[in-house]
Amino acid sequence: MTKIVVLFNLKADAKALDYENWARTTDLPTVNALGSIDSFSLLKSSSMLGTDQAPPYAYIEILDINDFEAFGGDVKTEIMEKVASEFQAFADAPMFIVTEDIK
């Protein structure tokens, strides 16, 4: 299974409450409805285990993709292009890391 891990902070002018509300009402339900997605979750960083340092990223998204080729088509739909544009308005230089299970 392919997973995409997205690490990001919010832009300086973005408010966390606005982003989190948008994520709950728009991003999570829209992406989770895609046929190529088994699950999509959003996590908020709270601490770094064993240190008093702040985490380098405030948010982490994890997408479990069941068909990577179909996912490529899913993200090109009009609704997903709108959601991606809205996400880019909140996120400051997100890192999209494509992963695969080690078997």
Side-chain angles (χ1 to χ4, degrees):
M1 173 183 294
T2 302
K3 290 182 188 269
I4 296 177
V5 177
V6 186
L7 306 173
F8 64 98
N9 292 309
L10 296 179
K11 291 182 177 177
D13 62 344
K15 293 184 174 82
L17 288 177
D18 292 342
Y19 166 70
E20 292 171 16
N21 182 57
W22 172 83
R24 280 187 204 96
T25 61
T26 301
D27 196 23
L28 288 164
T30 303
V31 175
N32 273 308
L34 299 175
S36 61
I37 299 292
D38 281 343
S39 71
F40 171 49
S41 57
L42 172 64
L43 308 167
K44 185 173 182 176
S45 300
S46 57
S47 66
M48 297 281 289
L49 186 64
T51 75
D52 58 358
Q53 293 179 305
Y57 296 98
Y59 295 96
I60 302 154
E61 293 180 342
I62 301 174
L63 296 93
D64 291 319
I65 301 170
N66 60 46
D67 184 334
F68 198 70
E69 188 174 319
F71 176 71
D74 283 346
V75 297
K76 292 179 181 173
T77 63
E78 186 176 328
I79 186 68
M80 281 305 301
E81 287 180 355
K82 181 179 185 287
V83 168
S85 175
E86 291 171 354
F87 172 75
Q88 291 296 332
F90 286 110
D92 184 20
M95 294 177 45
F96 293 81
I97 304 167
V98 179
T99 71
E100 296 177 5
D101 289 335
I102 297 176
K103 297 179 174 132

